């Protein structure tokens, strides 16, 4: 996915946890290893033997800044005269139904949507998209499963589907023969998806989905308004917790607050906590049990008590926080890397410029533990009822995953020139009609690797690349990424929600920090220890 399209704040359960913690609260979830392995040694061993799709990077479009060490490629301008990279309409000419997640209002229906009509003309069939807001998606997905109503293609978040391996075995098409190893070369733009993302698509020794790759873009960072700091003679160089607190104090006053939400993830990184799980000597320990959790929680509680966090931070969601950032009500906000371009969909002033403040060690003396998020955003599977059309449907997904700089990518993301976008030089800039009509969730159905890009603003793409280069190569991975816990999928939401509630109470000052220990004990008894054991088994099998 490229950055410069529509608001896309990594829509998972973490967005549904409304409160001042926002994305940071996800740190306590023991489920952060985007699912891919079933329970039991046999299933785990069979997964280890699956040949993942061969990675064949697409090199047909020259890249302005080639990424390395996990940093995405960057384009300063959209290529001139994009060329078509597919051979005509994809699929088999039959209509295709899709159940797709979204985080934006539904676009006009196809009869009133020029973009949708033009898309169907290019595809050579009618694409029927049933969009469901992220907050309602898990329930709607389960309803479709229960009623045996999954359409040809369906998207989902693996970590949010109870008993996923068994469900996929019954309701999804086994794609192993079509995608494993060099077989994927028949679909060159699916082969352009990095191997790490495909690890999230294997269950019970079979490939059941096509991943939406994000690289590091779902990682949480601390944004600041660099233009505001410059105007006030303040520095974004933060070398310790004391430095950060001092900066927050300087940025608070006169109906302005430093922080748009309580920055618990950032503080946990400062106190060098592990990324959800710690692995040492082959054993896993949850971040919830870390000895420095109390220090991170106390530091966060103090920021709230000192009044440097917006007083409404616990009552609003992401768009409102971004609005505060844009209108200078707040100057610091932690959000995902992918959110950077979202700000440019707001009414920003000419001076608006973002920067990222990497987490230092709380006591100073070096960098903290920057946490790298999972490489896969969601998966798209083919319904078992459509197994006889699997090759044609993969061809459709291959078409939708066409790379940045191609004619297919340009239309998919920006629609018709003069209708949905205008050109500034070679850069397509969405019109209001484009923003309204083109939100068909195509980016959650199939997508190529993320490319840093901001139409008409090459300096923004450069800033993104520079910020990512500063933290991604040395970022701390979650050791259970790509693994699956059956207990986590079935009971994780309940025990994690209870733990998050205590976290909110502590940070808001309603409970003492000591309440955390009692809450973690309950989390462990309620399933946390079993989740750890299942991840441990999966990790051992993967490394054997």
């Amino acid at each position: 996915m490229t950055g410069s399209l529509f608001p896309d704040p990594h829509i998972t359960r973490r967005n549904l946890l409304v409160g001042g913690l926002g994305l940071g609260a996800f740190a306590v979830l023991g489920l952060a290893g985007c699912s891919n392995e079933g329970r039991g040694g046999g299933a785990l061993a069979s997964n280890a033997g699956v040949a993942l799709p061969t990675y064949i990077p697409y090199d047909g479009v020259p890249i302005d800044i080639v990424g390395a060490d996990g940093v995405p490629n960057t384009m300063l301008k959209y290529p001139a005269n994009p060329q078509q990279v597919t051979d005509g309409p994809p699929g088999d000419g039959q209509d295709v139904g899709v159940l797709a997640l979204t985080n934006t209002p539904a676009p006009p229906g196809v009869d009133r949507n020029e973009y949708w009509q033009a898309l169907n003309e290019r595809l050579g069939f009618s694409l029927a998209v049933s969009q469901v807001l992220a907050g309602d998606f898990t329930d709607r997905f389960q309803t479709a499963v229960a009623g045996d109503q999954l359409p040809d293609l369906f998207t989902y978040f693996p970590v949010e589907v109870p008993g996923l391996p068994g469900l996929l075995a019954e309701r999804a098409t086994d794609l192993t023969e079509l995608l494993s190893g060099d077989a994927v070369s028949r679909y060159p733009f699916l082969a352009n998806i990095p191997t790490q993302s495909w690890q999230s698509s294997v269950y019970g020794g079979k490939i059941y989905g096509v991943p939406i790759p994000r690289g590091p873009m779902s990682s949480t960072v601390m944004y600041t308004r660099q233009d505001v700091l410059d105007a006030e003679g303040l520095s974004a160089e933060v070398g310790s917790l004391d430095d950060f607190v001092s900066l927050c104090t300087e940025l608070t006053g006169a109906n302005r607050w430093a922080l748009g939400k309580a920055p618990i993830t950032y503080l946990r990184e400062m106190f060098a906590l592990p990324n959800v799980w710690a692995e040492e000597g082959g054993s896993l320990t949850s971040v919830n049990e870390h000895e420095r959790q109390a220090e991170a929680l106390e530091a966060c509680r103090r920021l709230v008590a000192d009044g440097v966090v917006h007083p409404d931070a616990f009552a609003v969601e992401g768009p409102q926080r971004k609005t505060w950032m844009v209108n200078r009500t707040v100057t610091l906000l932690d959000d995902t890397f992918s959110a950077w371009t979202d700000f440019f969909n707001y009414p920003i002033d000419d001076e608006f410029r973002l920067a990222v403040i990497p987490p230092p060690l709380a006591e100073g003396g070096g960098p903290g533990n920057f946490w790298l998020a999972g490489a896969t955003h969601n998966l798209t599977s083919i319904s078992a009822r459509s197994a006889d059309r699997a090759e044609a449907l993969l061809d459709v997904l291959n078409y939708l995953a066409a790379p940045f700089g191609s004619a297919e990518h340009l239309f998919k993301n920006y629609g018709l020139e003069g209708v949905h976008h205008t050109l500034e030089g070679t850069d397509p800039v969405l019109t209001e009609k484009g923003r309204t009509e083109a939100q068909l969730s195509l980016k959650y159905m199939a997508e190529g690797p993320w490319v840093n890009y901001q139409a008409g603003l090459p300096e923004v793409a450069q800033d993104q690349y520079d910020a990512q280069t500063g933290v991604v190569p040395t970022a701390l991975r979650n050791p259970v990424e790509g693994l699956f816990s059956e207990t986590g999928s079935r009971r994780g939401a309940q025990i994690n929600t209870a733990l998050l509630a205590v976290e909110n109470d502590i940070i808001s000052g309603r409970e003492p920090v000591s309440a955390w220990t009692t809450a973690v004990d309950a989390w462990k008894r309620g399933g946390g220890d079993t989740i750890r054991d299942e991840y441990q088994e999966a990790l051992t099998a993967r490394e054997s």
Side-chain angles (χ1 to χ4, degrees):
M1 163 165 186
T2 58
S4 75
L5 309 179
F6 312 109
D8 176 37
H10 192 59
I11 47 180
T12 70
R13 177 164 54 236
R14 63 181 92 176
N15 298 87
L16 314 182
L17 298 168
V18 180
L21 305 181
L23 300 184
F26 195 60
V28 300
L29 297 183
L31 309 182
C34 197
S35 330
N36 97 335
E37 313 238 11
R39 289 184 75 182
L44 297 170
S46 64
N47 276 358
V50 175
L52 295 175
T54 302
Y55 177 42
I56 309 173
Y58 179 78
D59 59 3
V61 176
I63 300 298
D64 292 335
I65 305 175
V66 177
D69 298 322
V71 177
N73 290 336
T74 298
M75 295 292 285
L76 303 179
K77 292 186 178 298
Y78 207 89
N81 304 313
Q83 299 299 303
Q84 185 170 321
V85 294
T86 58
D87 297 326
D92 54 11
Q94 298 182 51
D95 294 348
V96 175
V98 187
L99 176 63
L101 54 97
T102 185
N103 202 36
T104 56
V110 64
D111 58 329
R112 297 176 290 110
N113 190 321
E114 193 171 353
Y115 172 88
W116 201 338
Q117 295 166 14
L119 173 66
N120 285 344
E121 182 178 349
R122 282 165 168 75
L123 293 174
F125 59 81
S126 293
L127 186 70
V129 184
S130 178
Q131 292 179 287
V132 182
L133 286 169
D136 301 322
F137 189 81
T138 298
D139 289 343
R140 175 69 177 276
F141 180 80
Q142 296 290 358
T143 299
V145 169
D148 195 19
Q149 296 177 338
L150 289 173
D152 301 306
L153 300 172
F154 56 93
T155 67
Y156 54 97
F157 299 118
V159 76
E160 299 194 3
V161 181
L164 183 61
L167 184 151
L168 291 176
E170 181 180 345
R171 301 298 176 87
T173 298
D174 175 9
L175 304 174
T176 310
E177 184 176 343
L178 299 175
L179 296 176
S180 180
D182 293 341
V184 75
S185 62
R186 182 178 175 184
Y187 310 100
F189 307 127
L190 301 185
N192 188 39
I193 296 174
T195 301
Q196 186 180 5
S197 287
W198 285 105
Q199 292 175 349
S200 298
S201 68
V202 180
Y203 300 83
K206 299 175 182 179
I207 298 173
Y208 277 110
V210 172
I212 305 301
R214 285 294 172 84
M217 300 309 296
S218 297
S219 305
T220 299
V221 295
M222 179 59 69
Y223 287 109
T224 187
R225 287 283 301 265
Q226 183 66 56
D227 55 306
V228 173
L229 298 188
D230 290 344
E232 299 184 16
L234 299 172
S235 174
E237 297 293 327
V238 172
S240 66
L241 175 59
D242 287 344
D243 287 351
F244 182 68
V245 172
S246 295
L247 178 62
C248 290
T249 302
E250 290 282 351
L251 292 171
T252 300
N255 205 34
R256 185 180 76 171
W257 295 265
L259 291 154
K261 61 185 177 190
I264 187 60
T265 290
Y266 190 66
L267 292 167
R268 284 175 167 136
E269 292 174 331
M270 278 191 186
F271 283 97
L273 269 65
N275 186 352
V276 186
W277 294 92
E279 180 190 9
E280 185 174 354
S283 297
L284 289 174
T285 304
S286 169
V287 65
N288 299 332
E289 301 174 75
H290 197 277
E291 60 186 6
R292 304 199 75 182
Q293 276 282 5
E295 294 175 86
L297 289 165
E298 171 58 24
C300 202
R301 185 205 62 77
R302 189 180 75 181
L303 289 172
V304 173
D306 288 348
V308 300
V309 178
H310 196 290
D312 294 332
F314 289 85
V316 301
E317 297 191 63
Q320 181 59 59
R321 295 188 180 103
K322 288 185 177 67
T323 298
W324 290 339
M325 192 79 160
V326 167
N327 66 23
R328 306 185 186 219
T329 299
V330 303
T331 315
L332 300 169
L333 183 66
D334 57 327
D335 208 326
T336 61
F337 263 131
S338 63
W340 196 312
T341 54
D342 294 347
F343 286 100
F344 293 87
N345 293 307
Y346 290 74
I348 59 174
D349 53 46
D350 292 339
E351 293 78 25
F352 185 88
R353 185 182 179 192
L354 292 175
V356 165
I357 304 177
L361 287 173
E363 60 272 20
N369 285 348
F370 180 76
W371 294 355
L372 192 67
T376 300
H377 182 267
N378 66 274
L379 296 177
T380 298
S381 289
I382 296 174
S383 171
R385 296 164 59 184
S386 304
D388 60 337
R389 300 180 61 199
E391 293 182 51
L393 293 169
L394 285 175
D395 192 37
V396 173
L397 295 178
N398 181 71
Y399 182 93
L400 294 176
F404 183 98
S406 65
E408 292 88 346
H409 176 277
L410 177 65
F411 174 79
K412 172 188 172 183
N413 291 283
Y414 299 98
L416 300 169
E417 182 182 353
V419 179
H420 302 106
H421 74 267
T422 57
L423 288 179
E424 294 184 3
T426 61
D427 287 325
V429 179
L430 284 167
T431 63
E432 189 58 37
K433 185 179 179 72
R435 293 182 189 279
T436 301
E437 291 192 350
Q439 302 194 48
L440 281 180
S441 297
L442 301 183
K443 61 186 176 182
Y444 302 125
M445 299 176 200
E447 191 80 324
W450 184 283
V451 175
N452 293 319
Y453 169 72
Q454 184 65 42
L457 295 170
E459 66 277 9
V460 173
Q462 182 70 59
D463 285 345
Q464 288 179 291
Y465 172 81
D466 292 343
Q468 292 160 9
T469 300
V471 295
V472 171
T474 57
L476 186 66
R477 293 184 179 276
N478 177 357
V480 306
E481 180 184 351
L483 303 182
F484 179 76
S485 161
E486 181 72 25
T487 301
S489 76
R490 295 187 181 280
R491 301 180 61 186
Q494 178 182 353
I495 62 174
N496 287 319
T497 298
L499 189 58
L500 287 169
V502 174
E503 184 173 288
N504 259 310
D505 286 343
I506 291 171
I507 292 172
S508 300
R510 294 187 293 268
E511 291 282 353
V513 172
S514 59
W516 179 256
T517 301
T518 302
V520 171
D521 287 342
W523 178 85
K524 287 162 60 67
R525 292 192 306 271
D529 281 345
T530 305
I531 293 170
R532 178 204 59 213
D533 292 344
E534 291 170 358
Y535 277 142
Q536 184 70 66
E537 181 185 4
L539 188 63
T540 300
R542 183 170 70 181
E543 295 179 349
S544 62

